[in-house]
Amino acid sequence: MSTCAECRSFFLREDEPGQGDCVRRVVDPRQAFYQSKPVREDNDASGCESFQKK
Amino acid sequence: MKCTECSHEAGVSSFRYLYNARIDAPITLRQCPQCQAWLAVDEMAGEARQRVDAGEAPWGKSAGIEGLAEDAR
Amino acid sequence: MVAEPAQDQSVQELEDKQEWWWVAEKKRSKRLDYLRKSVWKKGALGGNYAPGIKLDLECATLFTDMWKFWKYDPIMMRRAKAIAHVLDNKTIFITDHSQLVGYFGSLPNTIMWRVDGASMVNEEAYNEPGIMPEPENESLQKVAELNDYWAGQTAVDKVARILDPEDAVKFLSGAIGWGAPSSAYGYSGKDYEYLFAGRRGFEDIIEEINAAVENAEDKTVGVPGPEILDIYDRLQNWDAMILVLEAGIRHARRYARLARTMAENMETDEKRREELLKIAETCERVPARAPRNLQESLQYDHFIQIFARTEAHEGAWPARPDYYHGPYYDKDVNVDKTLTKEEALDLVGEFMIRAYEVGGFAPRWAREGLQGITGTWVWTLGGVNKDGSDACNDLTVAFLQAARLVRVSNPTFGFRWHPKVKDEVLRECFECIRHGLGYPSMRNDPLLIQNAMHWHGHPLEEARTWVHQACMSPCPTTKHGVQPMRMASATANCAKMVEYALHNGYDHVVGMQMGPETGDAAKFHDFEELFQAWVKQMEWLTSLLVRTVNLGRYKDPEFFGRPFLSGMSERSVESGLDVVSPVGDRGNCWVTAFTWVENIDSLAAVKKLVFDDKKYTMEQLLSALKANWDGYEEMRLDFVNNAPKWGNDDDYVDDIMLRCLRETARHSRVMKCPSGNSWPILPENVSGNIHYASIVGALPNGRRCGDALYDGGISPGPGLDKKGPSAVLKSCGKIDHVSDGRAFLLNQRLSPTQLAGEKGYQLWKAYIRTWADLGLDHVQFNMVSDETLRAAQKDPEKYSEVIVRVAGYSAHFVDISRKTQDNIIQRTVQGI
C-alpha cells in the first residue's frame, strides 16, 4: 500500500508529527495556482490519481 | 396583427407582451407565438413595425438634451 | 472571455476613442493584468451562473460533519467548532503572481454554499443547472444528503416557524419584499475602530477575552444570586470566540506554510521566491498580531472578510479602506520608502480583485435583483476624521487610480464628499466616472453625518466614522454605532402601496388579499380618500416587514450565532454577548424602499386626470389597469404624457412626493427596532426594478405589468425627466435629506462627449457644487454612450469589460439581462 508520505506532493509539518500537507500545482481554464490540503503521512494513497512516488 | 417575419396573423394580445420600448411612446416589444421573433409593435395602430435584434432597439433617445445627445455619444 | 485589444493602437488613440477598458489593459502591470483576467466571475449573468462555476461542496460538508458531531453544544460553540473545522481542513490555494491570499471557497471557481441558512435556498442549489462539480451524480447525491439533514433546522426555518402565519405567507409570497430574516444572509457592519484604529490582532483580542473570562469566573464561584446566572452563557460565548479566533490564526499560518513550501521547493524565479517568502511572513504576522505595513494591513482586512463570510453569507462589504489602511501606505511609500507608488498600486489593485472574486450561492430572486454581481460591496472612501478635518489621503487616490486599472464591477466606491476635499482627489473621482465605471457614487458627507445624528442619535464623532453598510446606508464603525446585522428582508416593494390602495388591498398578480381593505377605489370622491388609503397600505406593508426583521434579529443569537463577528466587536468581547444581540447597539435600521417613485407619479396622474381635470372616472381607470392597459393605449399615453412627473421641478407632483415621504417618516418613528430606534426609509432599487417587473401590476403612471419599473431611489422615470438636470436636482432638493428618510438614491446619465477634457471636469465639478448646495445626499453617474451600449449588445465579446451603474452597484454590461440593459439605455442622458 502506498501512503501519502511516499508522494512527491507530501510535505511534513515540522510542528505536528504525522501531519502534513498535500501541495499540488493546478492549472484551470483561467489561472494557475498551488493548492494545499491537510493529509496524514500514513494515509492510504493507493487510490489517489495524483500520486507521484518520491 | 401580422408578424413581419413569418406573416403569422392573430390579435395583438396573442403576441406575448415583453416590455415597453419607452414608457412615453406607443412602441412595445412583443414576441410572435409562431416564429418567436421579437417585434416592435405600435400599440396605437395595432401593427408590428419591425423585427428587433439586440442593439437595434428603438429606445435610448435622450429626452433631456435633444439635439446634443439624440443618440448620446 | 476577455477579447484582446487592437495591439497596434496607442494608449492615446484608445483614450481618444474612450475605449477605457483597453486603456486599462495597456496601462496596468503584468501582475494586475494576469490577476484580473484569472478571476472566475461569480456574479450571475442575467440570473444564471457562468459556465465553470461550481458549488463548493467541500466547505459545506466539512461544516456539516462537525456540526453533527457537536450536537449537544450551545449554538455559538457548535458554530465555532464547525467553522474552525472548515478553516483547518479546507483546500487552500495561492494563485500565480498574487501577493494577497485567501478565498472562502476551496477552489477559485467555487461558490460558497451557506448550507445552514435556509432550506428554500438549499433546494434551489440542488435544482440549479450546471453548478454541480463533476461527477455530477455523486455531487447531487451529496447535496441531497446535506439538504435532508438541514431541512427544518436552518436559521430561516426556525424563524419561519414562529412568525405570525399570515405575516409569513404574505412575506413569502415574494410580492411585497425580499430577503431572509436571519444574520445567515445579513449585512454585517464591522467594528473597525476596535480592530484597526485600536491596532489589535487576534492574539490581543484573545488576551482581552481571557481577562473578561477570569473576571466572570470569579463571580460564578462567588455569592449565589440571579445576577450571576447569565454569566454561564457568556462564558460559553467567550470560549466560542476564542476558538474561532485561534482557528483564524491557524488558517493564516496554513497559507504561510504553503507559501514557504512553494518558495523552498517549487519556485525557480528569484523575485517570485522573495514574494512568496513575504506572503509567508505576512501570514505568520496577521491576523495573529496587528499589521506593521500596507501588505499586512490589507491581508489582515481580507482575512477578516473571509472568516466573516465563512460564518455567514454576507450580502454586503462595509469598509473604509483608505481611512484604515492609509497610515500604512503613508509609512511604506512616503516615510520608509519600502514600497514604490507602483508597487503599492499593485497591492491595492489586487486587494480589489481579491474581493471581486468572492461569491456565494444565492437564490434566483437575489441573482435577478443583483444581476452581474454577488453582493453590494460598496467601499467607502474620503470623508472626514473624527475631528471634522479632511480624511482623504494618498491611499484614497491610489484606490481611485487602481479602480481604473482593474475595472472590477465589485467592489465599487461611495465617496464621502465634503467642502474641504482637495481638487486633486475630486479629479480622481471624476476620472473614474469618466472612464465609465459608474463609481464612485458621490455622498454628501456633512448632510449624512447630520442625518445619522437625527435618526439614530449617533454622537458627532461616532457619526463621522460612517461607512456604507450596504449600497447606501451610512453606519458608524464604533463599539455602539456599528450595526452587526441588517437583513435585506426590510426591503419593501413600494409600488404595491399604490397598487393596493387602488385595489382595496387585493393583489391581482399573486391572487390574494394582501393589504388591509381600504375601500373600493371606484367610489373614492376625491384625492384625499385615495391618499389616505395609500397611507394605510404604506403603514401595513412597512410594519409587516419590520416585524419580521425585528423578530429575526431578536432570535438570531438563539437560531444562528456569530462567534467570529462577536470576536471582532468590542461590545461582545467586553460583554460576552453574541454581537447580534441588540444590547448596547444604538440601532441603525432602515427600510429599503424599492420602486418608490411609481407611487408619486401614479398618485399625481390620478389626482390630475381623474379628480382635478375629471377627464376620466375611477371606474375607467380601474378597468384599464385590470386590462393591463391593453386596448387603452391612447388613455395610457394621456396618463404618461399629460400628467405631471417627478423630476421636472413641478410642485404639483413634487408636493405629493413630500407628502408621501413625510407620512412615511412619521410612521418610521412609530416603528422601533430591537434597540428602540427608528426605521427610516431609504429609496433605492439595485436591479429590483427588473425583478419586480412581472410582480407589480399595471399602474396609473402608465406602466404595464411586465415593464421594468423606474431605476430607483428618487430617480425620475427613464425618459420622463424632460426639463434637464437642473430641474431634476431642484425636484430632489425639495426633499429634506435629513429628516425625510435615511438616504435617497439618484441615478443620472451624462454625456461622455460633453464631459471630455478639462472643460468636462469643470462642468461636472460645478454640477456637484449645485448638487451639494441643494442638499442632496447621493448621486451616481453612468457615462457610457448609447452607441457603445448598443454595440455591446450586438457584440458582447468585444465589449465584455464595459461597466455600467445599475443602481446601488455597478455591473459589467454584458452580465445583465437584455431587459436591464434596455432599461439603462432608456435613461435620459443629461447635458449639464
Side-chain angles (χ1 to χ4, degrees):
Chain A
M1 180 186 86
S2 307
T3 63
C4 284
E6 298 164 39
C7 178
R8 285 172 60 181
S9 302
F10 181 80
F11 294 87
L12 190 67
R13 294 187 197 170
E14 288 172 3
D15 52 350
E16 291 176 71
Q19 188 68 41
D21 295 312
C22 171
V23 177
R24 289 195 295 116
R25 181 156 179 84
V26 179
V27 180
D28 77 15
R30 292 200 75 90
Q31 63 173 263
F33 55 92
Y34 281 94
Q35 68 170 43
S36 168
K37 194 167 166 50
V39 287
R40 289 201 56 82
E41 63 180 350
D42 54 0
N43 263 10
D44 179 4
S46 48
C48 178
E49 289 175 6
S50 307
F51 182 82
Q52 286 183 288
K53 199 155 179 69
K54 273 180 184 165
Chain B
M1 187 168 84
K2 190 173 178 180
C3 174
T4 57
E5 297 305 298
C6 70
S7 300
H8 172 70
E9 274 190 81
V12 176
S13 60
S14 67
F15 287 72
R16 181 174 159 241
Y17 183 72
L18 297 169
Y19 48 96
N20 59 10
R22 47 185 291 168
I23 195 170
D24 57 348
I27 304 295
T28 64
L29 297 182
R30 291 183 182 265
Q31 191 169 22
C32 173
Q34 184 163 288
C35 70
Q36 311 300 319
W38 284 29
L39 304 169
V41 174
D42 183 334
E43 297 285 333
M44 289 286 275
E47 286 176 10
R49 294 289 188 212
Q50 65 179 78
R51 178 193 175 100
V52 178
D53 289 317
E56 292 175 350
W59 49 72
K61 304 297 181 202
S62 168
I65 46 169
E66 284 85 354
L68 174 61
E70 180 68 10
D71 186 20
R73 285 166 191 277
Chain C
M1 173 184 171
V2 179
E4 293 300 323
Q7 295 300 323
D8 55 345
Q9 293 186 59
S10 68
V11 168
Q12 187 61 52
E13 283 171 320
L14 292 166
E15 283 181 345
D16 290 345
K17 287 161 66 183
Q18 300 190 341
E19 293 190 350
W20 303 110
W21 47 98
W22 299 139
V23 173
E25 278 209 27
K26 291 218 167 197
K27 278 189 165 178
R28 64 194 175 204
S29 69
K30 284 183 180 168
R31 182 201 309 277
L32 281 185
D33 197 49
Y34 178 85
L35 294 173
R36 175 63 182 79
K37 290 174 178 171
S38 72
V39 174
W40 285 86
K41 191 186 283 190
K42 312 300 188 320
L45 316 177
N48 301 310
Y49 287 108
I53 298 298
K54 299 295 175 190
L55 197 65
D56 198 309
L57 294 185
E58 184 182 273
C59 292
T61 304
L62 287 167
F63 183 90
T64 305
D65 286 349
M66 202 47 60
W67 182 264
K68 283 180 182 172
F69 186 81
W70 293 103
K71 62 183 174 185
Y72 299 118
D73 272 11
I75 199 155
M76 280 273 272
M77 182 60 79
R78 196 176 179 188
R79 183 167 305 281
K81 286 176 178 172
I83 293 166
H85 189 60
V86 173
L87 295 178
D88 285 341
N89 292 289
K90 75 172 193 177
T91 304
I92 60 169
F93 61 90
I94 297 178
T95 302
D96 283 4
H97 305 291
S98 64
Q99 298 183 92
L100 299 171
V101 297
Y103 182 61
F104 74 161
S106 54
L107 288 171
N109 66 331
T110 60
I111 40 174
M112 187 78 156
W113 174 24
R114 183 80 265 143
V115 71
D116 53 342
S119 296
M120 292 183 289
V121 177
N122 292 350
E123 293 303 325
E124 281 203 40
Y126 181 83
N127 288 306
E128 184 66 27
I131 61 167
M132 290 300 149
E134 295 292 341
E136 190 176 33
N137 279 346
E138 279 179 29
S139 294
L140 279 168
Q141 194 175 338
K142 184 75 212 170
V143 173
E145 282 169 19
L146 290 167
N147 284 0
D148 281 348
Y149 173 74
W150 285 103
Q153 61 160 328
T154 63
V156 172
D157 292 331
K158 289 174 185 171
V159 178
R161 275 200 287 275
I162 58 168
L163 276 175
D164 174 83
E166 193 174 322
D167 277 7
V169 167
K170 289 176 178 174
F171 174 69
L172 293 171
S173 73
I176 56 170
W178 72 7
S182 162
S183 69
Y185 301 101
Y187 309 149
S188 303
K190 308 285 183 303
D191 190 348
Y192 288 111
E193 284 295 299
Y194 180 58
L195 299 167
F196 283 90
R199 294 184 177 251
R200 284 176 176 83
F202 287 7
E203 286 178 354
D204 302 308
I205 298 170
I206 290 168
E207 207 171 296
E208 288 175 31
I209 294 174
N210 279 330
V213 167
E214 209 169 297
N215 185 33
E217 280 177 342
D218 285 348
K219 291 179 183 159
T220 58
V221 294
V223 180
E227 63 278 4
I228 69 166
L229 292 176
D230 73 342
I231 292 177
Y232 296 95
D233 286 341
R234 294 175 195 236
L235 284 168
Q236 289 284 337
N237 290 345
W238 274 315
D239 280 351
M241 291 179 218
I242 291 174
L243 200 141
V244 79
L245 291 172
E246 287 175 343
I249 295 171
R250 289 197 302 275
H251 187 71
R253 288 185 177 157
R254 289 184 60 202
Y255 280 103
R257 207 163 52 235
L258 173 57
R260 215 172 274 288
T261 302
M262 289 163 64
E264 290 169 358
N265 300 280
M266 291 131 185
E267 189 55 60
T268 53
D269 180 82
E270 191 52 37
K271 189 165 178 299
R272 180 61 181 159
R273 204 191 327 250
E274 280 174 24
E275 287 175 1
L276 288 165
L277 292 173
K278 176 83 174 165
I279 290 172
E281 188 189 332
T282 300
C283 295
E284 278 154 5
R285 172 79 192 186
V286 295
R289 283 175 289 160
R292 299 164 298 189
N293 55 49
L294 183 64
Q295 184 165 344
E296 288 179 358
S297 191
L298 296 175
Q299 182 65 68
Y300 183 33
D301 197 351
H302 189 66
F303 274 138
I304 288 168
Q305 299 296 338
I306 292 300
F307 300 155
R309 283 164 169 74
T310 302
E311 179 172 271
H313 182 115
E314 297 207 344
W317 197 306
R320 198 180 175 192
D322 59 338
Y323 184 77
Y324 290 110
H325 304 302
Y328 298 103
Y329 179 97
D330 187 49
K331 176 177 169 288
D332 290 2
V333 177
N334 300 327
V335 179
D336 296 348
K337 301 191 189 305
T338 49
L339 274 183
T340 65
K341 279 190 176 180
E342 290 70 30
E343 287 167 340
L345 211 53
D346 258 17
L347 279 171
V348 171
E350 186 181 347
F351 187 59
M352 295 184 71
I353 290 169
R354 292 275 86 84
Y356 178 51
E357 75 178 347
V358 168
F361 177 78
R364 180 158 287 275
W365 58 261
R367 279 178 270 147
E368 285 181 359
L370 288 167
Q371 291 174 33
I373 61 163
T374 56
T376 48
W377 312 158
V378 182
W379 293 359
T380 305
L381 298 180
V384 294
N385 296 305
K386 283 185 186 171
D387 62 3
S389 57
D390 181 16
C392 295
N393 55 37
D394 287 355
L395 189 53
T396 314
V397 171
F399 267 101
L400 292 162
Q401 290 175 344
R404 302 202 293 276
L405 294 177
V406 299
R407 292 186 65 87
V408 293
S409 55
N410 216 12
T412 65
F413 303 141
F415 183 80
R416 288 173 49 177
W417 176 91
H418 57 82
K420 296 175 202 158
V421 171
K422 290 184 183 131
D423 192 62
E424 68 207 56
V425 179
L426 205 57
R427 274 178 191 276
E428 294 291 344
C429 293
F430 177 69
E431 285 306 318
C432 287
I433 295 164
R434 197 209 308 257
H435 284 215
L437 294 177
Y439 59 87
S441 63
M442 302 302 286
R443 307 304 308 273
N444 190 332
D445 203 35
L447 197 141
L448 286 164
I449 289 168
Q450 198 185 342
N451 181 303
M453 296 167 74
H454 171 83
W455 279 104
H456 297 125
H458 297 292
L460 179 60
E461 281 201 356
E462 181 174 285
R464 281 174 172 160
T465 68
W466 75 268
V467 298
H468 295 75
Q469 181 147 5
C471 297
M472 291 277 293
S473 190
C475 187
T477 53
T478 60
K479 179 180 178 184
H480 298 292
V482 71
Q483 185 175 227
M485 172 183 174
R486 191 275 171 181
M487 294 152 300
S489 46
T491 297
N493 178 18
C494 294
K496 286 291 180 189
M497 295 169 182
V498 70
E499 190 183 329
Y500 294 164
L502 287 163
H503 299 294
N504 204 8
Y506 190 80
D507 192 315
H508 289 277
V509 180
V510 298
M512 65 188 276
Q513 184 70 33
M514 293 286 284
E517 292 184 1
T518 44
D520 178 359
K523 294 176 184 161
F524 288 167
H525 295 99
D526 57 28
F527 177 70
E528 277 310 302
E529 282 189 80
L530 175 63
F531 187 75
Q532 291 310 319
W534 181 88
V535 170
K536 287 195 178 75
Q537 298 296 344
M538 174 274 292
E539 289 176 345
W540 166 81
L541 198 153
T542 51
S543 294
L544 187 151
L545 296 174
V546 166
R547 274 197 303 275
T548 308
V549 176
N550 277 352
L551 178 64
R553 173 147 185 202
Y554 176 69
K555 299 295 281 185
D556 202 68
E558 183 186 331
F559 290 167
F560 194 69
R562 299 291 308 262
F564 177 73
L565 194 67
S566 300
M568 297 288 95
S569 151
E570 184 176 8
R571 203 159 48 77
S572 292
V573 168
E574 208 172 87
S575 68
L577 292 171
D578 183 330
V579 68
V580 176
S581 158
V583 178
D585 174 10
R586 207 177 305 282
N588 190 308
C589 290
W590 75 92
V591 174
T592 304
F594 280 7
T595 62
W596 173 257
V597 175
E598 281 77 3
N599 288 288
I600 317 309
D601 281 359
S602 293
L603 288 169
V606 179
K607 182 173 191 293
K608 172 80 176 151
L609 295 175
V610 177
F611 295 116
D612 288 0
D613 295 355
K614 302 192 189 310
K615 192 167 180 183
Y616 302 97
T617 65
M618 280 302 280
E619 286 91 340
Q620 284 174 303
L621 173 62
L622 293 173
S623 299
L625 295 178
K626 280 176 189 163
N628 201 24
W629 294 106
D630 264 356
Y632 294 86
E633 185 60 16
E634 198 172 342
M635 179 179 170
R636 188 191 74 79
L637 286 172
D638 219 6
F639 272 76
V640 177
N641 294 321
N642 296 320
K645 293 287 179 287
W646 168 251
N648 293 288
D649 191 21
D650 181 341
D651 285 343
Y652 188 96
V653 57
D654 295 357
D655 285 349
I656 293 175
M657 168 67 95
L658 299 186
R659 275 192 83 185
C660 289
L661 282 173
R662 283 162 195 174
E663 282 294 336
T664 310
R666 174 192 54 73
H667 187 60
S668 299
R669 294 184 182 90
V670 174
M671 299 186 294
K672 298 293 181 197
C673 75
S675 304
N677 233 327
S678 306
W679 277 93
I681 69 160
L682 192 163
E684 67 131 343
N685 250 15
V686 287
S687 54
N689 60 323
I690 304 300
H691 171 75
Y692 283 119
S694 302
I695 297 173
V696 174
L699 293 177
N701 68 330
R703 79 172 290 277
R704 298 175 181 84
C705 181
D707 293 340
L709 291 131
Y710 296 170
D711 48 292
I714 51 169
S715 309
L720 298 177
D721 44 348
K722 295 177 187 292
K723 293 197 174 164
S726 298
V728 174
L729 290 180
K730 282 181 185 167
S731 281
C732 296
K734 292 172 189 172
I735 294 170
D736 185 327
H737 288 245
V738 173
S739 63
D740 286 341
R742 193 67 178 94
F744 301 87
L745 177 143
L746 176 61
N747 286 324
Q748 290 286 271
R749 276 190 78 194
L750 301 176
S751 159
T753 305
Q754 188 192 13
L755 295 185
E758 176 63 18
K759 190 179 158 203
Y761 170 62
Q762 294 301 336
L763 273 171
W764 178 81
K765 193 176 160 187
Y767 175 93
I768 288 296
R769 192 71 236 185
T770 306
W771 162 83
D773 288 346
L774 286 168
L776 276 67
D777 73 275
H778 173 279
V779 65
Q780 60 192 9
F781 305 98
N782 267 313
M783 217 188 289
V784 185
S785 70
D786 285 353
E787 185 184 46
T788 301
L789 297 178
R790 285 185 186 149
Q793 283 190 323
K794 277 185 184 168
D795 194 357
E797 286 201 352
K798 192 176 167 200
Y799 291 86
S800 62
E801 293 301 318
V802 172
I803 291 177
V804 290
R805 193 69 175 175
V806 180
Y809 73 96
S810 292
H812 286 97
F813 188 68
V814 299
D815 293 347
I816 58 181
S817 71
R818 168 80 188 275
K819 192 168 183 171
T820 314
Q821 291 177 343
D822 290 344
N823 180 256
I824 287 169
I825 300 174
Q826 281 180 10
R827 296 178 192 170
T828 306
V829 177
Q830 299 282 15
I832 61 177

